Amino acid sequence: MKALDELTFDNRFARLGDAFSTHVLPEPLDAPRLVVASEAAMALLDLDPAVAETPVFAELFGGHKLWAEAEPRAMVYSGHQFGGYTPQLGDGRGLLLGEVYNEAGEHWDLHLKGAGMTPYSRMGDGRAVLRSSIREFLASEALHALGIPSSRALCVIGSDTPVWREKQERGAMVLRMAHSHIRFGHFEYFYYTKKPEQQAQLAEHVLNLHYPECREQPEPYLAMFREIVERNAELIAKWQAYGFCHGVMNTDNMSILGITFDFGPFAFLDDFDAHFICNHSDHEGRYSFSNQVPIGQWNLSALAQALTPFISVDALKEALGLYLPLYQANYLDLMRRRLGLTTAEDDDQQLVERLLKLMQNSGVDYTLFFRRLGDESAALAVARLRDDFVDLAGFDAWAEQYQARVERDGEFSEEQRRARMHAVNPLYILRNYLAQNAIVAAESGDYSEVRRLHAVLSKPFEEQAGMEQYAQRPPDWGKHLEISCSS
Ligand code: AMP
Ligand code: MG
């Protein structure tokens, strides 16, 4: 276990130089205080969890203090936003403080979000509000606990600093961690500004640090792009299987590591709805739940365009062709497991699609359905779940097909079935209304609910005594919350 001043830095991105990022110091928050910290994320830095409660923790992550070896930098990038190219974006309110090595030899970027203005702030104030910082914190750690790759969050620091959005709010900072903060938009920036030297430097950096195994391949850059395609196909399969809607899949929000990155008006589905749009400024539904699949490919094509200086167009196209079949295979594999199946049959895709259509038509809770399906034998479970469906004949027909399929799958005891299914079907997910309750309490200075919710979500598959209220469908007021896009 380390004390806070024992972190070891090696700032490899900063060393790429001023073409890639600009030195900026964090602007401190007034009266910084700990809102919530993630013990699991602290462990990644070998930090003793007790240090989160010390004043110096809030000072460091509230922008008052810096390690001597930290080199805070605002990164420059660009990206396609809602389909149109924005030539320059960048860290407008976040700073890469530096890269820390842990005892296992892993390196973690420490990125402080809400740290004040930078040369890339455009019209923004460089700040983040408490509400959005809490949402990012909870989502990062909840996704990780579900087994969905994501950036991590070390802590949220609250403050008295006034920040204006639709109304006056309070500023906060979230300390985000990832093995890299490089986005598709980094490659796009150097491609469209016609800086081939920096573009090559960036590609070498990513290859050496994040895809070293691709060095062994005859065409290392192509191997790297293929790997990025694969990781994104796997990631989006997980989003779809678990009902996560990102909401702002602009290419500047897509990580080259294939992790969930940059949280805005995201949501987990309550009722299953393929057409769900969590971002209320997304009028055309470009980033609706089901569109995440083709948009994943669209984004990879945008990255492919930026890689044309290194890889032939034909090879890029071929690699892009891997996306959809890989996505489908991964998605189907996850859905089979969610249904408790251990073998594969040709009709499984159709079994899943039929179920989703029925759930859609009846507004069935996506998370609880699968959880309850695993509570008991298939026959008992479907008999109990039947009441949730409006189209009873349709459900009965599906249930018959499902039970026959379960029988062909093999003989398992009820306990085996339950254990297997509960290990992949969470009981607790970050429902918008749960986050909202925690935010309302935190805005009045009570952080206990954020902490409790974070703790519950860190073991989403494990039934926790006394936590029944976190495993409920939303009350009426919490069903269609409009999450503000200002953050
Ligand atoms: P986002 O929608 O959070 O992915 O942000 C898109 C771009 O706007 C990024 O370049 C952000 O750094 C920038 N940005 C968002 N909010 C602010 C803010 N309050 N101040 C400065 N820049 C911001
Ligand atoms: Mg962003």
Side-chain angles (χ1 to χ4, degrees):
M1 286 290 174
K2 284 182 177 171
L4 273 167
D5 58 1
E6 290 169 343
L7 295 182
T8 39
F9 284 81
D10 181 13
N11 305 319
R12 302 171 302 182
F13 190 87
R15 286 201 293 274
L16 287 175
D18 292 341
F20 297 84
S21 63
T22 307
H23 174 78
V24 182
L25 288 173
E27 228 176 282
L29 291 171
D30 300 334
R33 56 218 175 224
L34 179 72
V35 174
V36 61
S38 163
E39 257 188 49
M42 290 180 75
L44 298 172
L45 302 179
D46 309 313
L47 284 174
D48 177 351
V51 304
E53 303 291 343
T54 60
V56 68
F57 190 85
E59 282 164 11
L60 277 167
F61 300 116
H64 284 258
K65 272 197 172 166
L66 262 186
W67 297 264
E69 314 83 57
E71 283 182 78
R73 313 280 299 189
M75 302 166 113
V76 62
Y77 51 82
S78 62
H80 280 85
Q81 299 186 304
F82 288 90
Y85 186 65
T86 305
Q88 198 195 290
L89 293 158
D91 290 333
R93 54 164 162 180
L95 296 173
L96 179 60
L97 296 180
E99 298 170 53
V100 168
Y101 270 94
N102 66 16
E103 275 158 11
E106 296 171 333
H107 80 277
W108 286 98
D109 282 4
L110 301 190
H111 177 103
L112 194 58
K113 190 165 173 180
M117 303 246 269
T118 77
Y120 315 112
S121 295
R122 300 186 295 167
M123 311 300 281
D125 57 5
R127 289 304 191 193
V129 293
L130 182 61
R131 152 176 69 77
S132 66
S133 305
I134 288 174
R135 279 172 50 84
E136 168 145 3
F137 175 90
L138 291 172
S140 318
E141 294 302 285
L143 282 165
H144 172 74
L146 286 169
I148 303 179
S150 174
S151 60
R152 303 295 303 273
L154 187 78
C155 63
V156 175
I157 302 297
S159 79
D160 287 344
T161 302
V163 173
W164 285 93
R165 293 296 179 256
E166 286 93 357
K167 56 183 178 26
Q168 187 181 311
E169 300 190 40
R170 298 280 176 78
M173 292 186 191
V174 58
L175 194 283
R176 177 166 67 193
M177 292 167 50
H179 294 309
S180 169
H181 274 67
I182 298 175
R183 306 147 190 259
F184 289 10
H186 276 88
F187 283 97
E188 293 181 282
Y189 176 75
F190 293 106
Y191 173 75
Y192 289 105
T193 53
K194 300 194 168 59
K195 293 180 177 156
E197 267 176 47
Q198 280 88 2
Q199 172 84 334
Q201 213 185 330
L202 180 71
E204 277 296 288
H205 179 87
V206 174
L207 186 66
N208 288 336
L209 270 49
H210 305 295
Y211 294 96
E213 67 287 353
C214 296
R215 274 253 170 261
E216 318 300 321
Q217 300 294 318
E219 283 190 69
Y221 288 135
L222 175 58
M224 176 169 84
F225 180 64
R226 260 201 215 113
E227 182 73 25
I228 295 174
V229 170
E230 285 171 19
R231 289 195 196 183
N232 273 276
E234 287 164 20
L235 175 69
I236 292 171
K238 288 187 171 154
W239 288 359
Q240 301 310 113
Y242 284 97
F244 178 77
C245 200
H246 181 285
V248 201
M249 288 175 70
N250 294 335
T251 57
D252 52 300
N253 292 338
M254 302 300 293
S255 155
I256 50 102
L257 299 181
I259 60 175
T260 315
F261 199 71
D262 253 16
F263 295 86
F266 72 85
F268 279 89
L269 298 181
D270 290 306
D271 296 356
F272 180 77
D273 179 6
H275 315 299
F276 182 66
I277 302 166
C278 61
N279 181 347
H280 66 86
S281 61
D282 181 7
H283 303 294
E284 279 155 26
R286 180 181 172 85
Y287 300 137
S288 73
F289 180 63
S290 58
N291 270 359
Q292 297 190 127
V293 181
I295 287 293
Q297 180 154 22
W298 194 96
N299 287 342
L300 287 162
S301 314
L303 175 62
Q305 181 66 44
L307 293 176
T308 48
F310 310 111
I311 308 167
S312 77
V313 171
D314 286 344
L316 284 166
K317 280 191 180 154
E318 203 185 306
L320 279 170
L322 298 171
Y323 173 82
L324 214 51
L326 255 177
Y327 162 77
Q328 275 159 347
N330 275 285
Y331 175 73
L332 193 54
D333 179 52
L334 288 165
M335 294 310 284
R336 278 195 187 103
R337 291 203 262 156
R338 296 206 72 178
L339 287 170
L341 302 173
T342 63
T343 56
E345 284 188 12
D346 287 348
D347 276 352
D348 291 344
Q349 174 84 28
Q350 186 245 11
L351 185 72
V352 170
E353 281 167 10
R354 273 180 83 188
L355 172 64
L356 294 183
K357 200 166 272 170
L358 288 161
M359 290 175 95
Q360 169 102 30
N361 291 341
S362 297
V364 172
D365 190 88
Y366 188 58
T367 301
L368 292 178
F369 176 85
F370 286 100
R371 183 71 181 191
R372 297 204 173 127
L373 190 64
D375 276 343
E376 45 203 343
S377 72
L380 289 175
V382 294
R384 206 181 296 266
L385 287 161
R386 185 174 187 266
D387 288 347
D388 293 343
F389 290 81
V390 179
D391 175 5
L392 289 177
F395 182 73
D396 289 343
W398 179 83
E400 202 178 307
Q401 186 188 349
Y402 174 64
Q403 278 174 262
R405 176 69 184 83
V406 167
E407 269 170 38
R408 287 196 303 279
D409 192 60
E411 254 188 59
F412 301 99
S413 70
E414 207 172 301
E415 285 68 45
Q416 285 173 318
R417 174 180 159 86
R418 186 184 304 118
R420 189 173 68 228
M421 288 182 73
H422 284 188
V424 293
N425 291 322
L427 181 57
Y428 311 103
I429 54 155
L430 180 57
R431 297 176 188 270
N432 263 346
Y433 91 94
L434 293 174
Q436 193 56 29
N437 283 340
I439 287 165
V440 170
E443 284 177 339
S444 67
D446 175 2
Y447 305 138
S448 60
E449 185 57 23
V450 182
R451 294 179 185 192
R452 191 158 47 240
L453 182 56
H454 164 60
V456 171
L457 295 172
S458 67
K459 293 180 197 147
F461 301 104
E462 238 173 74
E463 190 162 350
Q464 298 164 46
M467 297 300 165
E468 295 78 16
Q469 74 270 32
Y470 296 98
Q472 306 289 331
R473 303 185 67 167
D476 280 343
W477 68 264
K479 274 187 184 152
H480 299 287
L481 285 176
E482 281 213 345
I483 297 303
S484 169
C485 292
S486 68
S487 57

